[in-house]
Amino acid sequence: MSEPPLRPDPASTEGEPADALIRKTRNFSIVWIVPIVAALAAIFVAWRAISEQGPTVTLLFDDAEGLEVEKTKVKYKSVDIGVVEAISFTRDLEQVELEVSLVDGSEPFLTENTRFWIVRAEISAGHVSGIGTVLSGAYIAVDFSDEGKRQTTFVGLDKAPVITSEAEGTTYSLRSEAATSLRVGSPVYYRSYDVGKVIAYELDESAEFFSIDVFVRKPYDAQITTSTKFWNASGLDVSVTAEGVRVDTPSLVSALIGGVSFDNFAHAALGRPVAEGTIFDLYENRDESQNPVYRRKQRYLVYFDRSVAGLTIGAPVEFRGIQIGRVLDVKLTYDYGESDFRIPVVLELEPDRIEAVGDPEEDEAAIEAGFAGLVRRGLRAELATGNILTGQLKVMLGFHEDAEPAELIQGERYPVIPSAPGAFDQISNSLASVVGELQEVPIADIGRRLDGVLAELQTAVKSVNELTGTLNDDVAPSLTATLESVERTLASTDTMVGPDSAANTELDRIVLDLGDAARSLRLLTERLEQHPEDLLRGKR
């Protein structure tokens, strides 16, 4: 269908061809609907694909063992959330650079605290992980965190983090002067129950101690107060007591890979809550943790003139039998000015071992001033025997009333405490005095006199021996014969006066007669007492 011309051409005449009229049409062909719809659909799909595409991040690892492009997954809580798109090297070839695409919605969690690591099969003492990757292949795990600054490039961890960002608990720091068998991942025990992990272990920058960070899960971190004691639970703690042999270890795992235990002992004072990051001492074992800790140290210097053989570093320093410190250093020096050798001994005293009474000042200057006063009162350092069997020495501090006046000398590296002769020195002096007196004794004359006495004694002994021989040869036979004669005489006497002898029988008869006579006489006497007239008239 055509439309009428817009207007007549004024120049047209009959017989001449008319000029073509151009008419604008307003109809839209339906043919164009299909491509337009297709284009819109393509745009929508493209927009949808772009809008649903997640972020792309760059991960840096030391190696890419087991990782493959478009095959290696990124997992969070065992759910696939991304894939490795490309693998290349950094410009310096030091690391492997991975381009990883993540699912939409992960942008808010890509912060500086988010951590990536490669999960592979790992079997070690007390730890087995990633066994499933033996068949499925390695994958990249992520620990998201929405705290911190946003970033898209991450340095991957060498190992899986011991504590994930979702774990609730508190981190503390332990200090140990000696290296231990602890390592990252070692368990932390509270009364033999696993409540945390060691998350860091390193030598401090000062190189004086090892710093060990531990994480304790909630609610067990509430048990940690200012009175809490931590000790190394690694290996087997074997002790021999009067009750027998005792073996203490929280578990077989701690015996193999080490561990840390903590507790609040009943005899300890009630503790106060502590903040995260509080530093505790790590004791060698449980028994050691129950000993008090003296943090304040004060060092003094002592010069000894005599030999210090047997005095070793760590030897106790005692006052009236109670240890108040230890020997920190023993040296031999040569003084060119005095042309003499000197033996400086450094003492490390622990003021907290002495309980102050009253209201004393506890700062270092006040303690040193008080120590200077004790030196003026006669406090001296001396060597004493610590062990008679081994010959070890110790340092004793004590008052010497007869000591010459002295002061605590300042100006050297440490204040100098005057020394005094020890018990050994006094014994040596006494022995020297005795030896001197012995030297004045005329031992030679005494020896000669003893020789004469011994000669006379030998002569006397010889005479006694001769007399003994004479007695054996002459006197003994005569004495034997005499004894035999006496025995025979006694036998005869027994025959004569024995119970069955005739003399004894006759004697018994005489005794009976005498008894009868005495009885008759007693009757006569009684008769005369009753009848005295019988003396005149006779018995009637």
Side-chain angles (χ1 to χ4, degrees), residues 176-182 201 203 208-210 212 232 282 284:
S176 174
E177 295 182 355
T180 66
S181 58
L182 296 174
Y201 182 94
L203 180 64
E208 294 184 354
F209 58 87
F210 290 87
I212 305 159
N232 186 4
L282 179 64
E284 185 176 352

Side-chain angles (χ1 to χ4, degrees), residues 73-271:
K73 305 294 184 181
V74 179
K75 296 185 178 182
Y76 177 67
K77 295 185 177 180
S78 301
V79 177
D80 295 344
I81 60 169
V83 66
V84 175
E85 299 289 351
I87 301 176
S88 60
F89 292 100
T90 57
R91 292 184 177 180
D92 56 4
L93 302 181
E94 293 290 334
Q95 291 181 302
V96 176
E97 186 175 286
L98 306 181
E99 184 179 340
V100 176
S101 61
L102 301 176
V103 297
D104 183 32
S106 58
E107 294 89 343
F109 303 99
L110 298 176
T111 67
E112 59 185 358
N113 293 319
T114 297
R115 297 172 290 182
F116 293 86
W117 67 95
I118 301 173
V119 178
R120 304 186 181 99
E122 181 180 359
I123 301 176
S124 60
H127 179 73
V128 177
S129 64
I131 295 299
T133 61
V134 174
L135 299 177
S136 63
Y139 65 89
I140 298 174
V142 58
D143 178 34
F144 284 122
S145 175
D146 57 355
E147 298 180 356
K149 297 180 180 179
R150 300 286 180 84
Q151 65 182 37
T152 57
T153 301
F154 301 87
V155 177
L157 303 179
D158 295 333
K159 295 182 178 179
V162 178
I163 303 298
T164 62
S165 57
E166 296 179 342
E168 295 184 355
T170 309
T171 301
Y172 305 95
S173 184
L174 310 179
R175 287 185 176 182
S176 174
E177 295 182 355
T180 66
S181 58
L182 296 174
R183 68 175 190 176
V184 175
S186 294
V188 177
Y189 296 98
Y190 174 66
R191 298 183 179 179
S192 301
Y193 184 70
D194 189 344
V195 297
K197 298 289 184 185
V198 174
I199 59 176
Y201 182 94
E202 61 182 2
L203 180 64
D204 188 75
E205 295 180 355
S206 63
E208 294 184 354
F209 58 87
F210 290 87
S211 179
I212 305 159
D213 293 339
V214 297
F215 178 84
V216 180
R217 301 191 306 273
K218 285 186 176 181
Y220 311 105
D221 55 350
Q223 301 297 326
I224 298 178
T225 66
T226 53
S227 298
T228 300
K229 304 292 184 182
F230 288 83
W231 67 89
N232 186 4
S234 305
L236 299 177
D237 185 9
V238 181
S239 60
V240 180
T241 65
E243 300 176 353
V245 179
R246 186 185 69 182
V247 180
D248 184 16
T249 183
S251 70
L252 180 60
V253 175
S254 66
L256 295 175
I257 66 173
V260 174
S261 289
F262 71 89
D263 203 343
N264 298 305
F265 297 110
H267 63 271
L270 295 178

Side-chain angles (χ1 to χ4, degrees), residues 206-491:
S206 63
E208 294 184 354
F209 58 87
F210 290 87
S211 179
I212 305 159
D213 293 339
V214 297
F215 178 84
V216 180
R217 301 191 306 273
K218 285 186 176 181
Y220 311 105
D221 55 350
Q223 301 297 326
I224 298 178
T225 66
T226 53
S227 298
T228 300
K229 304 292 184 182
F230 288 83
W231 67 89
N232 186 4
S234 305
L236 299 177
D237 185 9
V238 181
S239 60
V240 180
T241 65
E243 300 176 353
V245 179
R246 186 185 69 182
V247 180
D248 184 16
T249 183
S251 70
L252 180 60
V253 175
S254 66
L256 295 175
I257 66 173
V260 174
S261 289
F262 71 89
D263 203 343
N264 298 305
F265 297 110
H267 63 271
L270 295 178
R272 302 182 302 277
V274 295
E276 184 167 10
T278 300
I279 300 175
F280 292 88
D281 291 313
L282 179 64
Y283 295 90
E284 185 176 352
N285 50 51
R286 181 185 177 91
D287 293 338
E288 187 71 20
S289 67
Q290 301 186 51
N291 295 329
V293 177
Y294 307 102
R295 299 187 180 280
R296 290 194 300 175
K297 315 285 185 182
Q298 284 195 294
R299 295 176 180 178
Y300 295 91
L301 193 61
V302 179
Y303 288 100
F304 289 105
D305 299 329
R306 54 157 290 194
S307 170
V308 295
L311 184 65
T312 58
I313 295 176
V317 179
E318 297 181 355
F319 177 75
R320 294 180 177 175
I322 298 176
Q323 183 174 351
I324 60 173
R326 65 189 181 102
V327 174
L328 195 64
D329 193 16
V330 180
K331 288 183 178 178
L332 176 64
T333 62
Y334 182 77
D335 189 343
Y336 284 93
E338 300 291 337
S339 300
D340 195 6
F341 291 96
R342 306 184 73 185
I343 303 177
V345 177
V346 180
L347 309 181
E348 186 176 69
L349 305 186
E350 297 167 332
D352 292 336
R353 287 179 178 268
I354 304 173
E355 183 179 357
V357 179
D359 186 20
E361 297 290 342
E362 292 186 352
D363 59 346
E364 184 175 344
I367 294 175
E368 190 168 307
F371 208 85
L374 296 177
V375 171
R376 284 193 290 272
R377 289 174 50 192
L379 184 71
R380 300 291 184 270
E382 61 180 291
L383 295 174
T385 302
N387 190 312
I388 297 177
L389 298 178
T390 62
Q392 291 182 330
L393 297 180
K394 61 184 177 181
V395 177
M396 292 284 294
L397 296 180
F399 289 100
H400 292 254
E401 297 180 354
D402 55 347
E404 297 181 358
E407 296 285 342
L408 188 67
I409 302 174
Q410 303 287 350
E412 298 198 26
R413 185 177 181 183
Y414 304 114
V416 180
I417 302 175
S419 62
F424 267 113
D425 295 331
Q426 297 176 5
I427 293 174
S428 299
N429 295 334
S430 299
L431 289 176
S433 177
V434 171
V435 171
E437 293 178 356
L438 287 176
Q439 289 178 348
E440 296 178 358
V441 175
I443 298 177
D445 294 341
I446 294 175
R448 285 192 293 272
R449 294 175 183 175
L450 286 176
D451 289 340
V453 172
L454 290 175
E456 294 176 357
L457 184 60
Q458 289 178 350
T459 303
V461 171
K462 184 177 180 180
S463 301
V464 171
N465 291 334
E466 292 176 354
L467 178 60
T468 304
T470 301
L471 290 175
N472 291 333
D473 297 338
D474 301 334
V475 177
S478 301
L479 184 58
T480 303
T482 302
L483 291 175
E484 292 175 352
S485 176
V486 171
E487 289 180 355
R488 288 193 297 272
T489 303
L490 291 176

